[in-house]
Structures are given as structure tokens and as C-alpha cells.
């Protein structure tokens, strides 16, 4: 089995190649290494290989390993990429560096209150349910405008971009195109989209953050 350092090199090269093909610069695409449910040894391998940006989807899981890792690698950037409950907002603001999953007013308010309490101004993304799937989190495209207005103007959150997870059974490009269009409407510079199976497509559609888990670390513990 290839080690993490080699796989990282391969993925970075692939990002570069894909970026060039799309007339983009690799430096404009951030690889978020999704370390959820991966053994800590593998995460340390990635850190030792120079990877600094990671994604976790559950506050409780991240709390078990990341305080120690953050002490050892203080320049890490940890993204929350899973749904947040308002009773976990304090812990989330304490542990994470970027929140990608603002999807409703209640969460926006809880985060704003915690950022004020902890004197932080973390970059945030709004998650959009581009496929309008009942079971998926994210704000519906037609409700994005009012959530953005609330989060940015009223609550003063540092909204930098949009994030989406396309339906598994649809061509991702349509969803990436929609997310790009929505971000353009609100002048938001960042687009978090694309996972192991579709990050190349996402890069073609202007992703600035791609979230790669199994493609880097291998299968997750279930
Ligand atoms: C798990 C997860 C990923 C990574 O998925 P892979 O298919 O393992 O690359 C990306 N984004 C989110 C929101 C996730 O929950």
C-alpha cells in the first residue's frame, strides 16, 4: 500500500495538472484532507508530509484527537465540514479554524455569539443543498440570500464562500456550476466543493477548496 506521503504527492500533482488544464493555478486550490474516522497515525503521517489543512465532520470526534495535534502542529487549519448543532457551537469555535457548514439562522446566531464570546472571527462558509435533498443539510438555493444577509450584515460573520455536497446519483458538474453561480451573486470568493471521486470536476468549475478523504487516507473506520 502506498504511504500517505506518496499519495499526497500524487494528489498534489493531479491538482496541479487539472488546474493547468482549466487555466488555473494550483496555489488557488486548497486541499482539505478529510481525516474523519481515520487512525491518528495516518493523520500524523500527513502532517509530517507537510499537509496542514484538515477537515473533520463531527465536533465530538475531532475533540478526541485535534487538541493534541494542534499543540504539536500549531500552524494546522482545521475545517468543520459536517452539520453543527447549536449546543456544540462553543466547542466548534474553540477547536476549529474554519466553519464550512452554516445552514440555518439558528446556527449562524449561535456561532456569532460564540465568536464574540471567544473573541474570534473564523472564516465561514454557507452550505447549500444544491440538490434540494430532504435528508441533506444545507440551505436551499432560494433561501441563501436571506441566510447570507442575516449571517453577514446582521450578525457580522466572516462569510467567505459556499460549500456543497452534490447528490450521489447526479452529475456533480451541474451542482458545482450552480454553487459557482450563487457565489458570484453574492461576490463570495471561496467555493468548497469536490471530494475524492469528483474533485477534478470541481476544479474545472472553480473550486477553491476540495475535500479529499478516502482518496488520501484510504477507507474509513465505520
Ligand atoms: C467525508 C466527507 C468528505 C470526504 O469524502 P471522500 O469521498 O472520502 O473524499 C468530503 N466532504 C464532506 C462534507 C464529508 O463529510
Amino acid at each position: 500500500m502506498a504511504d500517505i506521503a506518496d499519495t499526497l504527492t500524487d494528489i498534489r500533482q493531479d491538482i496541479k495538472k487539472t488546474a493547468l488544464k482549466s487555466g488555473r493555478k494550483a496555489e488557488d486550490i486548497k486541499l482539505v484532507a478529510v481525516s474523519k474516522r481515520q487512525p491518528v497515525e495516518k493523520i500524523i503521517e500527513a502532517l509530517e508530509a507537510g499537509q496542514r489543512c484538515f477537515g473533520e465532520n463531527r465536533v465530538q470526534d475531532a475533540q478526541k484527537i485535534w487538541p493534541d495535534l494542534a499543540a504539536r502542529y500549531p500552524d494546522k487549519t482545521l475545517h468543520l465540514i459536517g452539520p453543527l448543532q447549536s449546543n456544540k457551537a462553543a466547542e466548534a469555535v474553540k477547536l476549529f479554524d474554519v466553519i464550512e457548514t452554516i445552514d440555518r439562522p439558528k446556527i449562524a446566531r449561535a456561532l456569532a455569539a460564540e465568536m464574540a464570546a471567544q473573541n474570534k472571527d473564523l472564516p465561514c462558509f454557507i452550505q447549500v443543498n444544491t440538490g434540494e435533498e430532504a435528508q441533506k443539510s444545507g440551505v436551499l438555493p432560494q433561501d441563501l440570500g436571506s441566510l447570507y444577509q442575516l449571517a453577514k450584515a446582521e450578525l457580522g460573520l466572516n462569510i467567505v464562500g459556499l460549500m456543497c455536497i452534490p447528490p450521489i446519483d447526479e452529475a456533480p458538474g451541474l451542482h458545482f456550476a450552480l454553487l459557482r453561480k450563487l457565489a458570484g451573486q453574492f461576490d463570495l470568493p471561496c467555493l468548497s466543493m469536490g471530494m475524492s471521486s469528483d474533485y477534478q470536476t470541481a476544479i474545472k468549475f472553480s473550486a477553491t477548496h476540495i475535500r479529499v478523504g478516502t482518496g488520501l487516507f484510504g477507507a474509513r473506520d465505520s
Side-chain angles (χ1 to χ4, degrees):
M1 210 190 92
D3 66 13
I4 305 280
D6 288 344
T7 312
L8 249 183
T9 304
D10 289 348
I11 293 174
R12 289 204 187 113
Q13 263 161 16
D14 190 50
I15 292 171
K16 195 169 192 174
K17 211 176 70 191
T18 311
L20 285 177
K21 259 197 265 174
S22 317
R24 306 188 56 203
K25 284 190 273 191
E27 303 85 73
D28 295 337
I29 298 149
K30 186 151 245 165
L31 171 64
V32 181
V34 177
S35 50
K36 66 182 187 196
R37 307 201 311 276
Q38 295 287 354
V40 70
E41 297 74 36
K42 287 190 178 179
I43 303 172
I44 290 171
E45 263 187 78
L47 283 158
E48 286 296 317
Q51 176 67 25
R52 284 295 178 274
C53 183
F54 292 83
E56 288 279 347
N57 73 332
R58 288 169 57 96
V59 177
Q60 309 90 290
D61 291 348
Q63 269 175 326
K64 290 181 197 145
I65 54 167
W66 278 102
D68 280 352
L69 293 175
R72 286 170 65 185
Y73 303 89
D75 58 342
K76 65 89 188 89
T77 311
L78 191 60
H79 289 229
L80 178 64
I81 60 168
L84 180 60
Q85 268 131 34
S86 49
N87 63 357
K88 294 276 183 339
E91 285 108 315
V93 169
K94 189 159 174 229
L95 184 61
F96 288 87
D97 304 291
V98 178
I99 308 287
E100 292 203 18
T101 49
I102 294 180
D103 64 350
R104 56 193 190 279
K106 192 175 177 197
I107 287 301
R109 289 184 200 284
L111 284 171
E114 273 311 321
M115 301 244 193
Q118 297 183 35
N119 196 19
K120 285 192 174 179
D121 185 26
L122 305 183
C124 298
F125 291 69
I126 294 178
Q127 181 177 355
V128 184
N129 187 355
T130 57
E132 309 195 19
E133 296 171 282
Q135 80 290 359
K136 195 162 273 173
S137 37
V139 65
L140 293 173
Q142 63 266 31
D143 297 332
L144 173 61
S146 57
L147 182 59
Y148 175 71
Q149 185 66 20
L150 170 78
K152 170 100 184 166
E154 211 172 300
L155 301 172
L157 285 170
N158 179 14
I159 306 292
V160 297
L162 303 180
M163 177 269 213
C164 79
I165 310 169
I168 43 172
D169 54 352
E170 287 181 30
L174 294 172
H175 297 274
F176 298 155
L178 173 58
L179 201 70
R180 177 169 68 182
K181 186 178 129 205
L182 293 168
Q185 282 170 11
F186 299 101
D187 236 351
L188 291 166
C190 298
L191 283 170
S192 174
M193 55 192 199
M195 319 204 302
S196 296
S197 60
D198 55 15
Y199 74 80
Q200 290 149 326
T201 307
I203 290 172
K204 290 184 196 129
F205 283 93
S206 314
T208 59
H209 294 69
I210 56 172
R211 309 179 307 266
V212 178
T214 49
L216 172 59
F217 292 110
R220 283 181 278 275
D221 299 342
S222 42

